[in-house]
C-alpha cells in the first residue's frame, strides 16, 4: 500500500481549498478494499492502511501515520469483527473497536480531518418489527455491539465533523461472508437449516462504497443507516442465493433457539433510511439486485 511521506503533505503549496485525500483504515478487509478501489475509480486520492501500515491500538502510530498522510477524511473500516469470539475476548475487542477508534478520531482531530466511522445494526436491541431510526435508543446485546456503540460515542465526543454509518449483513469479494458460506454448503448438501426469525438487510460492499465516496466529499455530517434496500430473514437470503446461483439445495427455516451461538443476535435489524434520503443521499439498490451483481462478480473474479 502507498506510503505517506512528508513531501506528500504539500507543505509549501499556496493556501487554497484542499483537494480531497481519503485515508481508508482496514484497507485489506472486506469493506475497506472495495472502498479504496471505489475512491481510485472516481479519481479521488485514496490511501489504504491496514495493520502493517499502523496498528490503530497504538496512539502514537495513529498520530504519526495520519499526520504524515494529512487526509481530509478518514473512512474507518478497521475493526475487530469476530462477533462470537468477542464474547471470549472482550478486552481485545474493546481495545480495537473502542481504543483504536478513539486513537483514529484524535489523529483526525489533530490534522483537521473529518471521519466516517463504520458501525453496525448490533448497536440496537433488535426487538419488535419496526424500522430503527438513527436516533432511537441503542441497546447492544453482545460484546461486539457494545464496543461498536462505544466507538460511535467516542467519535461523536472527539470530532465535530463525523459520519456514523450503520450497516448490516455485509458481503463483498474480499471476505468470508454469508453468501460464500451458502454457496459452499449449497454445493455440498441437498438440504440446510438456516435461521428464519432474524430479519434485516444485506449490504453489498460495492454499493456501500459508492455512498461512502459521496460522503467523503460532502459535509452532511450525522448518523446514517446504509444497507441495500429490502428486508429478508437469513433463510430468505439463503433461498435467494441458492436460486440465483442455480443450486438445488433446499433451505429449511429454523428458529434462533434451534441454532445456538455464543453471541446473542438481534431478531429485528430493520434500519430506517430516513436520514439518508433526508440529507440528499441516494438509497442503495435492492439487495436482490445487489446479490445478482455480486454472484456475477464472483464468477468473473473467482
Ligand atoms: N461484516 C459484517 O457483516 C459487518 C456488519 C456490520 C458492520 N460491520 C462493520 O464494517 C466494518 C468493516 O467490516 P469488514 O467486514 O470489512 O471487516 P474485516 O474484513 O474483518 O476488515 C477489518 C480489517 O481491520 C483490520 N484490523 C483489525 N485490527 C486492526 C488493528 N489493530 N489495526 C489496524 N487494522 C486492524 C483487519 O486486519 P486483520 O484481518 O489482520 O485482523 C481487517 O483487515 C467494521 O467496522 C465492522 O464492524 C461489518
Amino acid at each position: 500500500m502507498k506510503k505517506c511521506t512528508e513531501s506528500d503533505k504539500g507543505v509549501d503549496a499556496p493556501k487554497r481549498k484542499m483537494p480531497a485525500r481519503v485515508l481508508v483504515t482496514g484497507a485489506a478487509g472486506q469493506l475497506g478494499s472495495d472502498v479504496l478501489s471505489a475512491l481510485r475509480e472516481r479519481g479521488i486520492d485514496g490511501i489504504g492502511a491496514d495493520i502493517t501500515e499502523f496498528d490503530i491500538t497504538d496512539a502514537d502510530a495513529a498520530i504519526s501515520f495520519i499526520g504524515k498522510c494529512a487526509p481530509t477524511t478518514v473512512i474507518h473500516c478497521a475493526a475487530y469483527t469476530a462477533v462470537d469470539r468477542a464474547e471470549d475476548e472482550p478486552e481485545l475487542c474493546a481495545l480495537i473497536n473502542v481504543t483504536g477508534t478513539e486513537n483514529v478520531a484524535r489523529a483526525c482531530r489533530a490534522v483537521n480531518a473529518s471521519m466516517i466511522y463504520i458501525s453496525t445494526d448490533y448497536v440496537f436491541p433488535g426487538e419488535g418489527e419496526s424500522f430503527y431510526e438513527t436516533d432511537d435508543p441503542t441497546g447492544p446485546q453482545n460484546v461486539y455491539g457494545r464496543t461498536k456503540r462505544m466507538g460511535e460515542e467516542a467519535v461523536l465526543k472527539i470530532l465535530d465533523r463525523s459520519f456514523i454509518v450503520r450497516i448490516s449483513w455485509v458481503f463483498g469479494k474480499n471476505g468470508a461472508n454469508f453468501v460464500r458460506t451458502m454457496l459452499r454448503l449449497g454445493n455440498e448438501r441437498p438440504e440446510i437449516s438456516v435461521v428464519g426469525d432474524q430479519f434485516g438487510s444485506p449490504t453489498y460492499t460495492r454499493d456501500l462504497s459508492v455512498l461512502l465516496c459521496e460522503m467523503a466529499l460532502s459535509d452532511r455530517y450525522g448518523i446514517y443507516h446504509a444497507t441495500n434496500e429490502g428486508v429478508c430473514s437469513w433463510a430468505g437470503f439463503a433461498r435467494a442465493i441458492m436460486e440465483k446461483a442455480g443450486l438445488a439445495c433446499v433451505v429449511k427455516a429454523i428458529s434462533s433457539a434451534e441454532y445456538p451461538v455464543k453471541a446473542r443476535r438481534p431478531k429485528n435489524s430493520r434500519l430506517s433510511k430516513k436520514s439518508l434520503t433526508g440529507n440528499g443521499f441516494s438509497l442503495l439498490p435492492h439487495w436482490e439486485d445487489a446479490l445478482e451483481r455480486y454472484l456475477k462478480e464472483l464468477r468473473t473474479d473467482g
Side-chain angles (χ1 to χ4, degrees):
M1 267 166 237
K2 182 175 161 182
K3 283 211 161 53
C4 287
T5 60
E6 284 296 328
S7 62
D8 276 349
K9 290 204 285 189
V11 279
D12 296 330
K15 286 250 181 257
R16 59 182 148 76
K17 193 175 179 323
M18 295 248 291
R21 166 177 282 195
V22 182
L23 173 66
V24 181
T25 68
Q30 181 169 229
L31 177 61
S33 56
D34 271 348
V35 172
L36 193 58
S37 304
L39 288 165
R40 290 175 178 169
E41 278 163 22
R42 281 160 185 75
I44 302 168
D45 183 7
I47 299 158
D50 211 274
I51 195 143
T52 48
E53 281 72 29
F54 76 98
D55 183 336
I56 60 168
T57 66
D58 180 340
D60 292 339
I63 288 276
S64 164
F65 190 90
I66 294 176
K68 275 184 191 148
C69 290
T72 51
T73 302
V74 174
I75 305 182
H76 182 41
C77 300
Y80 178 108
T81 55
V83 175
D84 288 310
R85 206 182 328 134
E87 300 294 312
D88 291 328
E89 39 188 37
E91 290 87 7
L92 178 61
C93 183
L95 180 67
I96 296 171
N97 290 352
V98 187
T99 309
T101 299
E102 284 168 357
N103 291 340
V104 172
R106 288 203 185 96
C108 284
R109 191 174 59 190
V111 293
N112 200 25
S114 60
M115 178 168 169
I116 302 178
Y117 171 73
I118 307 300
S119 191
T120 168
D121 55 312
Y122 284 12
V123 300
F124 289 118
E127 287 149 4
E129 293 188 355
S130 52
F131 284 73
Y132 281 104
E133 298 298 339
T134 52
D135 57 356
D136 277 343
T138 54
Q141 298 293 301
N142 56 42
V143 167
Y144 166 78
R146 276 194 287 282
T147 62
K148 293 297 291 185
R149 175 59 190 155
M150 288 163 81
E152 290 186 356
E153 288 168 340
V155 171
L156 293 168
K157 196 170 151 202
I158 296 168
L159 292 168
D160 294 330
R161 298 184 300 119
S162 70
F163 296 84
I164 304 292
V165 183
R166 297 182 183 136
I167 63 174
S168 58
W169 300 19
V170 175
F171 61 93
K173 79 163 187 263
N174 200 28
N177 57 56
F178 182 78
V179 182
R180 279 216 164 98
T181 304
M182 290 303 110
L183 291 174
R184 179 174 51 77
L185 294 176
N187 275 299
E188 289 170 2
R189 304 188 194 171
E191 184 183 300
I192 55 168
S193 299
V194 181
V195 170
D197 60 359
Q198 293 171 17
F199 292 86
S201 306
T203 307
Y204 183 23
T205 51
R206 278 183 82 102
D207 290 342
L208 178 64
S209 297
V210 175
L211 173 69
L212 295 176
C213 287
E214 205 186 328
M215 284 180 167
L217 301 181
S218 99
D219 57 4
R220 285 168 269 160
Y221 310 113
I223 303 180
Y224 293 92
H225 295 161
T227 69
N228 283 102
E229 283 303 285
V231 169
C232 58
S233 67
W234 287 111
F237 191 17
R239 284 195 191 105
I241 294 164
M242 300 305 171
E243 190 193 308
K244 289 180 197 300
L247 295 167
C249 178
V250 173
V251 176
K252 187 181 148 211
I254 56 168
S255 68
S256 303
E258 290 173 279
Y259 187 74
V261 280
K262 274 240 155 154
R264 200 165 156 204
R265 262 63 173 184
K267 285 198 170 170
N268 176 25
S269 284
R270 296 171 180 87
L271 301 179
S272 163
K273 313 293 168 27
K274 270 185 206 154
S275 78
L276 211 54
T277 50
N279 284 294
F281 291 110
S282 301
L283 293 173
L284 274 57
H286 194 279
W287 68 265
E288 291 196 56
D289 175 78
L291 175 59
E292 279 169 20
R293 285 180 286 114
Y294 179 56
L295 294 175
K296 202 168 160 193
E297 184 185 16
L298 289 183
R299 282 195 297 272
T300 312
D301 295 354

